[in-house]
Amino acid sequence: MATTSVIEQMRQLIQLIAKHNHAYYVMDQPTISDSEYDHLFHQLKALEEQYPDLVQSDSPTTKVGGQALSKFQSVTHVVPMLSLGNVFNQEDLFAFARRVEERLPNQKVQYEVELKLDGLAISLWYENGVLIRGVTRGDGETGEDITQNVKTIRNLPKVLHSDHFEIPRLLEVRGEVLMPKSGFEKLNAEQEAKGDKTFANPRNAAAGSLRQLDPNIAAARPLAFYAYGIAQCEPNHGLTTMHDSLQWLTKLGFEIAERQYLCNSIQEVQQRYEQIQQERSDLQVEIDGMVVKVDDLKQQQQLGFLSREPRWATAYKFPAQAALTTVDQIDWQVGRTGTLTPVARLNPVFVGGVTVSNVTLHNIGEIHRLDVRVGDTVSVYRTGDVGVTINSNVSSRTQLDFQMAV
Ligand code: IVH
């Protein structure tokens, strides 16, 4: 067989396997039977045995993971990872649009609405289409090199390919790592069955997984990456809008969030906000609002930045759903494996559509850290669909995560 067609077959199999891995591990929704999966895997293995020189660096047959690190290396971001300003209501949103449109006189402005994914921002470097580095946001200037862990994320392309255009010499992609809700629930159930500590919410679970020095642990966690921007591209991609950039990224093999909308007016943005808020619980991932971006990249450049925030984008956050209540009792619950978990019994309180009467305190360390005591007034936040946050001491600014106990 010609070398090119062997490589092509290998690439096709790798892509198929990655797709099914994602469906199985991350979305918890297998798309093929186990035996069909095994068949694909064996086909790839057989090809690799026949042509060992052509084995692709991102092949799933070469086990993900590797040596544990003693610590992460610091990496300075060539393009800083900035933060976003926030708006919380229609009035502030319209004021944001006025500021944008005043700086772009006589220009039509379209807005791209994206989900504000509640995970961790990372940056990925690709040289000639090969993933060489993954770095956390850190303080925006300097992050940590988490390449080994990032390589275990199943829906993240390790090698870029496209039938439509040339792969850039250098590409830096920004996006969010998170744990979809289904994977989070499964992981917590497994942790509990093993007698290990459970995670308060998907964001904590994702953060804890990325921070593992042993990539084999990260590899066992159902993490996913969703791209939302391009920091650098050489040669220039020639794209003119945010919307096209996201579509272009999908053609290279990146996954983007499950929804984005192009809006012709700020009123339409407001309508999307109300719609997304309604549909929040149907989404596969946790979000804490949406991000509104000026769609045109030239206009983005014209608008520029004000201190550490772009003038061309803002986060439109969902209101915090909080309520005050008191701790009636702290019980120790015995798990199936005999592990003891402290649970705070609350005076039942209605928060963000659910009545919360129990929250797990996870372990004794958490109790000390929070200094929670019977009779304390606590504020309960609904942080998403799966998490509840409590502030143990209303006058303190420490806000800690608790998981709802069932
Ligand atoms: S764009 C300069 N798009 O929000 C603009 N950020 O406060 C860079 N985030 O740390 C950010 N979803 O982790 C962008 N669709 C999205 C996002 C998003 C979540 C996070 C990101 C960043 C924070 C900014």
Side-chain angles (χ1 to χ4, degrees), residues 82-84 114-117 121 137 176 228 291 293 310 312:
L82 305 174
S83 54
L84 288 171
E114 295 175 18
L115 301 181
K116 187 164 192 302
L117 306 167
R137 176 174 186 274
E176 203 86 350
Y228 54 62
V291 180
K293 300 178 182 173
W312 46 265

Side-chain angles (χ1 to χ4, degrees), residues 9 21 23 34 56 79 141 160 167 170 192 212 229 235 273 275 306 322 325:
Q9 267 194 37
N21 272 342
D34 287 357
Q56 304 288 293
V79 180
E141 299 287 339
L160 307 178
I167 300 297
L170 167 71
E192 209 174 316
Q212 296 291 331
Y273 176 75
Q275 178 200 338
L306 179 64
T325 189

Side-chain angles (χ1 to χ4, degrees), residues 27-44:
M27 305 323 300
D28 203 18
Q29 280 167 349
T31 36
I32 50 168
S33 68
D34 287 357
S35 64
E36 284 168 308
Y37 179 88
D38 289 344
H39 182 66
L40 289 176
F41 207 87
H42 285 131
Q43 253 182 295
L44 178 62

